Amino acid sequence: MGVFFLFLLKIDYNSPFYGLFRQPERLTMNENNTLTIALSKGRIFDETLPLLAAAGIEVLENPETSRKLILPTNHDNMRVIIVRASDVPTYVRYGAADFGIAGKDVLIESGGGGLYQPLDLKIAQCKMMVAVKQGFDYQKVSSAGSRLRIATKYPNIAREHFAQKGVHIDIIKLYGSMELAPLVGLSDAIVDLVSTGGTLRANNLEAVEHICDISSRLIVNKAALKLKHAQIQPIIDVFAKTVAQQNQA
Ligand code: PRT
Ligand code: MG
């Protein structure tokens, strides 16, 4: 008897009746024809506006003054979502956004897997550097085989850099204000982004090593690129042309 009921309860996925009773599948992909663009507010948003404008896309609200996280554009079927810079790849990878713009630092640190990265947009440019307190003899300490304590938001990038140099390190993971760490004895050095150098100078720090150049990339969900090719490809093409023009001038 029990076996009979078990048989009844067993789901037969091939049964023509299965479709009548199954729960609707959860859609992570934006399967309608609305295009969702993931951006972080601040420098990436600001520097993306001219590229969007070149593609005829205008964001109708300012993320600095609006509390909305979904911003309308001048196209009914296009919207911008505002997320943390380090969360942009996640939204795009899962298809909650069709494309987005993320710093190379974020992409290296989180691994850019599963994303199509067609373009270096050459915006939000900066350098990943090692910095220490002024007067700290970094060359001596890092070549003497001692262990360095490195404070950073980028543990993977830092680990890879020092492994290549053969320098032993301990990582202290921080989420911001890395510049403070050497000043109060939390670390010997930091691995962080530098653009004008103003923050380092203001805190009596100096850059001692250049790890890599950073700029922001266009990242596209691979399935969206296929399903919404007619909408997305022209935008990629306009971005590519605009970036080329901007960097010629
Ligand atoms: O700020 P939040 O914690 O929300 O996130 P986030 O810092 O990841 O975002 P955001 O908007 O500050 O940065 C987004 C992206 O901009 C980064 O992922 C980088 O690719 C790029 N970018 C370009 C920078 C900088 N320049 C930059 N200077 N990101 C951060 N900085 C910081 C740096 O960490 C340091 O604290 O600015 C300070 C140094 O600037 P200077 O000009 O004083 O040298
Ligand atoms: Mg920041």
Side-chain angles (χ1 to χ4, degrees):
M1 192 65 175
V3 174
F4 177 67
F5 276 113
L6 266 181
F7 174 75
L8 277 184
L9 286 173
K10 191 172 162 282
I11 301 165
D12 178 2
Y13 294 100
N14 296 320
S15 153
F17 302 111
Y18 171 61
L20 292 178
F21 303 112
R22 82 189 159 118
Q23 295 286 313
E25 277 159 24
R26 261 195 87 238
L27 299 179
T28 15
M29 174 65 53
N30 283 299
E31 283 190 1
N32 49 32
N33 64 359
T34 296
L35 265 195
T36 303
I37 307 166
L39 298 175
S40 55
K41 65 179 179 186
R43 67 191 100 220
I44 289 189
F45 183 86
D46 298 344
E47 293 187 42
T48 300
L49 284 184
L51 294 173
L52 291 173
I57 305 166
E58 199 189 320
V59 187
L60 299 179
E61 282 185 53
N62 178 354
E64 298 300 336
T65 50
S66 168
R67 284 173 180 267
K68 283 190 194 161
L69 298 174
I70 301 180
L71 306 179
T73 72
N74 58 333
H75 297 265
D76 287 343
N77 62 349
M78 263 183 227
R79 60 187 185 168
V80 168
I81 59 171
I82 299 296
V83 302
R84 281 294 289 264
S86 47
D87 290 335
V88 170
T90 308
Y91 279 84
V92 175
R93 191 173 288 121
Y94 283 94
D98 298 298
F99 66 88
I101 293 169
K104 188 178 156 198
D105 49 320
V106 168
L107 292 168
I108 307 176
E109 191 60 30
S110 72
L115 297 165
Y116 176 52
Q117 297 183 34
L119 271 182
D120 177 355
L121 299 172
K122 304 214 162 71
I123 59 171
Q125 296 194 23
C126 56
K127 292 177 191 310
M128 186 68 74
M129 307 284 273
V130 181
V132 298
K133 215 156 78 169
Q134 277 169 16
F136 180 85
D137 195 344
Y138 174 75
Q139 297 311 336
K140 188 171 162 214
V141 177
S142 63
S143 57
S146 51
R147 264 188 114 79
L148 280 178
R149 275 202 298 179
I150 309 292
T152 187
K153 190 169 145 183
Y154 304 100
N156 295 330
I157 294 174
R159 231 177 252 119
E160 171 69 20
H161 173 71
F162 288 102
Q164 275 182 15
K165 282 171 55 87
V167 174
H168 297 291
I169 57 160
D170 292 312
I171 298 271
I172 299 174
K173 164 87 184 176
L174 293 177
Y175 294 88
S177 302
M178 268 73 79
E179 293 87 356
L180 181 63
L183 303 179
V184 294
L186 180 63
S187 72
D188 300 308
I190 60 172
V191 165
D192 194 14
L193 299 173
V194 178
S195 45
T196 62
T199 311
L200 291 184
R201 276 192 299 279
N203 291 291
N204 299 319
L205 300 175
E206 59 182 348
V208 285
E209 229 159 45
H210 171 243
I211 299 179
C212 58
D213 289 336
I214 299 288
S215 55
S216 287
R217 315 283 150 138
L218 178 64
I219 55 173
V220 186
N221 176 277
K222 286 184 176 171
L225 185 64
K226 286 191 194 136
L227 294 169
K228 302 180 184 178
H229 192 264
Q231 283 170 286
I232 295 176
Q233 192 59 49
I235 299 176
I236 299 178
D237 294 344
V238 172
F239 279 13
K241 208 170 127 197
T242 312
V243 172
Q245 279 166 355
Q246 280 171 348
N247 289 280
Q248 245 170 23

